[in-house]
Amino acid sequence: MLKVGLTGGIGAGKSEVSRLLVASGAVLIDADKIAREVVEPGTPGLAQVVEAFGQEILAPDGTLDRPKLGSIVFADPQKLALLNSIVHPLVGARSAELEEAASEDAVVIHDVPLLAENGLAPLYDLVVVVDARPETQLDRLVRLRGMSEEDARARMAAQATREKRLEIAHIVIDNDGPLEGLGQRVDAVWADLARRARAA
């Protein structure tokens, strides 16, 4: 099994790369998706979050009111740390379960947005960084996702710098140009990853 950490700045195209890798045969473990699953209604995770932050973080239908919780934790580093101390171990345990279920020769892609920020590179055999220039990221966030330029710049500033991500990369996928050429670049990376998984 080859454990690959996949990361990239917001708007760099990481989701598209993970989709292409899965289409080639990779097993995807998506940290963001798992983070949502572990706090669904009826889970111990949601019960712990409610215990820590109160009933007001629940929507009328009993689901987690993410914007409400976000407004609480992003304004207070201690509260954010408390939330992370609840959610991160649950995400880690579920990720380990999914990894154990994969075949011995699998290429397991861990899609981790904050891989560089949280110093997680040592957890993986390889780190793949999807890279784009900040101007390209900004353009995509404003033009394709409808963000205001101010909001887009704030989100980019909250992440690791491009240099910090590139420092931990074993493989860099350049996604600065149009999407049409991305498939070929990902195919080449997939061939490399599959070969390494077989050798391992």
Side-chain angles (χ1 to χ4, degrees):
M1 180 185 295
L2 188 71
K3 294 194 278 188
V4 179
L6 175 70
T7 196
I10 186 168
K14 177 175 58 60
S15 299
E16 184 62 20
V17 168
S18 69
R19 189 186 68 73
L20 291 167
L21 288 169
V22 167
S24 296
V27 174
L28 179 65
I29 298 178
D30 183 334
D32 274 356
K33 186 172 172 223
I34 295 170
R36 289 190 291 274
E37 286 172 7
V38 298
V39 291
E40 283 178 352
T43 59
L46 184 59
Q48 287 177 277
V49 173
V50 170
E51 191 179 322
F53 295 97
Q55 291 287 333
E56 69 268 18
I57 59 148
L58 291 177
D61 63 357
T63 59
L64 185 60
D65 183 338
R66 289 178 181 282
K68 175 80 187 211
L69 181 60
S71 69
I72 294 168
V73 300
F74 289 118
D76 184 335
Q78 285 181 308
K79 287 182 177 169
L80 180 59
L82 174 60
L83 177 64
N84 288 341
S85 74
I86 295 168
V87 175
H88 286 178
L90 297 170
V91 172
R94 181 67 182 133
S95 298
E97 281 174 22
L98 292 169
E99 195 174 271
E100 281 165 26
S103 65
E104 281 181 23
D105 61 349
V107 175
V108 179
I109 305 287
H110 288 264
D111 183 332
V112 186
L114 301 180
L115 192 151
E117 291 81 347
N118 292 332
L120 302 176
L123 297 179
Y124 309 104
D125 300 317
L126 280 175
V127 173
V128 175
V129 172
V130 183
D131 182 55
R133 289 176 306 131
E135 308 86 90
T136 304
Q137 292 175 258
L138 184 64
D139 173 64
R140 288 175 182 159
L141 294 174
V142 173
R143 194 167 46 85
L144 304 177
R145 294 204 203 169
M147 286 185 192
S148 69
E149 186 172 330
E150 186 183 16
D151 188 23
R153 285 187 187 280
R155 292 202 187 199
M156 287 167 62
Q159 293 188 328
T161 62
R162 182 185 189 191
E163 290 70 28
K164 187 171 177 185
R165 275 192 297 273
L166 292 175
E167 269 173 29
I168 60 166
H170 296 97
I171 297 172
V172 177
I173 297 176
D174 175 17
N175 191 26
D176 210 45
L179 273 178
E180 294 77 51
L182 183 62
Q184 286 178 314
R185 292 192 291 280
V186 174
D187 285 346
V189 169
W190 170 252
D192 181 24
L193 295 177
R195 181 182 53 73
R196 291 181 196 235
R198 285 193 299 274

